Amino acid sequence: MESSALLFNQLKAADPFFLLAGPNVIESEEHVLYMAKHIKSVAAKVGLPLVFKSSFDKANRTSSKSFRGPGMAEGLKILEKVKATYDIPIVTDVHETIQCEAVGRVADIIQIPAFLCRQTDLLVAAARTGKIINIKKGQFCASSVMENSAEKVRLAGNPHVMVCERGTMFGYNDLIVDPRNLEWMREANCPVVADVTHALQQPAGRKLEGGGVASGGLRELIPCIARTAVAVGVDGLFMEVHNDPLNSPVDGPTQWPLRHLEELLEELVAIARASKGKQQLKIDLTPYHL
């Protein structure tokens, strides 16, 4: 818990924001190490604290035929190697209570997927690891739900919790990002993160050759959503990044190209530093006369 408190306080104090970034899923040890090396270099260059992200199992893929990752045992070994090789903290997600203890031995931040953000047993099991918990807001949830989810973690004895906006369902195959949520989620009394890549998914919106569907996405709008988020004053950004997004086996349409990461982050840092989004503007409603 002591190391979690140290990292949590470092992230809370990040100026202007911290970064959770990496490829959506572990494709291979070689690929994850490559991505970690280059993302760490970029983050250091632009002056952002980095937590490296990748998943060992994508349990909620649209199709049962889709690539899911190497599984927990192999995936945690790879993430542990990333952590040791590049001396960076790790964030990865869990889907079941039985995964939490093992994941907590490797990950510095345990992420709760959006679909599972209200699952009390999962939140409590993750909280009891003592690691920082990042809760994705469900696509079906109002921002106020995150107050209750964060409180479940705290009541389990873990004060180190963050909440993350990742878009809201807008019809059947689309998401919309409501910037008001970035403000309202502060009511959870913890750091607010904006997932600027998953927020641009088009769930089950892409038909596949031979039948079936997969999630599409609007990669070209990632800068738009990211600019909005940092101007509002979020504490952290979550971005999935890939060196070859067109050939990524998972969420290719919403992964940001590695070659453009530095360029985008430099702009976002500049916007965040110019904005007063983290400062509450006091509105005076007393009569005003010139």
Side-chain angles (χ1 to χ4, degrees), residues 89-273:
I90 297 292
V91 55
T92 196
D93 37 8
V94 293
H95 297 86
E96 301 178 74
T97 56
I98 59 173
Q99 296 176 330
C100 293
E101 184 178 350
V103 172
R105 289 195 289 266
V106 175
D108 301 276
I109 300 177
I110 295 178
Q111 185 163 280
I112 305 297
F115 287 128
L116 302 174
C117 69
R118 292 171 44 167
Q119 295 297 105
T120 302
D121 289 348
L122 183 60
L123 289 165
V124 170
R128 286 176 176 165
T129 66
K131 297 307 176 83
I132 299 168
I133 309 302
N134 183 36
I135 312 171
K136 292 281 195 78
K137 181 181 77 64
Q139 304 92 322
F140 47 87
C141 288
S143 58
S144 56
V145 169
M146 301 310 288
E147 295 180 51
N148 290 346
S149 295
E151 190 64 10
K152 290 176 183 180
V153 172
R154 295 191 188 101
L155 289 174
N158 187 342
H160 308 126
V161 60
M162 309 187 297
V163 292
C164 181
E165 167 63 38
R166 58 94 73 226
T168 303
M169 288 301 301
F170 189 68
Y172 288 112
N173 301 114
D174 206 0
L175 296 169
I176 192 167
V177 178
D178 184 349
R180 295 177 300 175
N181 283 332
L182 300 173
E183 183 71 31
W184 289 334
M185 284 168 62
R186 289 175 178 159
E187 295 298 317
N189 195 29
C190 63
V192 173
V193 180
D195 179 345
V196 300
T197 46
H198 283 108
L200 287 159
Q201 276 184 335
Q202 294 181 307
R206 184 163 54 101
K207 291 187 177 181
L208 300 175
E209 292 182 18
V213 294
S215 290
L218 300 169
R219 180 183 8 259
E220 66 276 12
L221 294 181
I222 291 172
C224 170
I225 300 303
R227 290 167 184 144
T228 302
V230 298
V232 169
V234 293
D235 300 287
L237 279 188
F238 179 105
M239 296 179 66
E240 292 193 330
V241 181
H242 203 284
N243 64 314
D244 186 12
L246 292 180
N247 289 302
S248 169
V250 182
D251 282 354
T254 53
Q255 296 204 64
W256 186 247
L258 177 62
R259 64 161 45 90
H260 295 304
L261 181 62
E262 182 179 338
E263 175 187 6
L264 179 58
L265 289 178
E266 283 181 342
E267 180 189 351
L268 297 177
V269 167
I271 293 170
R273 292 199 187 284

Side-chain angles (χ1 to χ4, degrees), residues 21-33 35-36 39 52-61 66-72 75 78-79 82 91-93 95 111 198 238-243 247-252 255:
N24 180 287
V25 68
I26 298 169
E27 297 173 30
S28 68
E29 180 179 306
E30 179 184 14
H31 182 254
V32 167
L33 287 168
M35 293 298 298
I39 293 173
F52 182 78
K53 185 270 170 184
S54 201
S55 299
F56 55 80
D57 180 20
K58 303 305 294 183
N60 56 355
R61 296 301 311 277
S66 299
F67 178 74
R68 288 180 53 165
M72 186 171 72
I78 293 171
L79 291 176
V82 169
V91 55
T92 196
D93 37 8
H95 297 86
Q111 185 163 280
H198 283 108
F238 179 105
M239 296 179 66
E240 292 193 330
V241 181
H242 203 284
N243 64 314
N247 289 302
S248 169
V250 182
D251 282 354
Q255 296 204 64

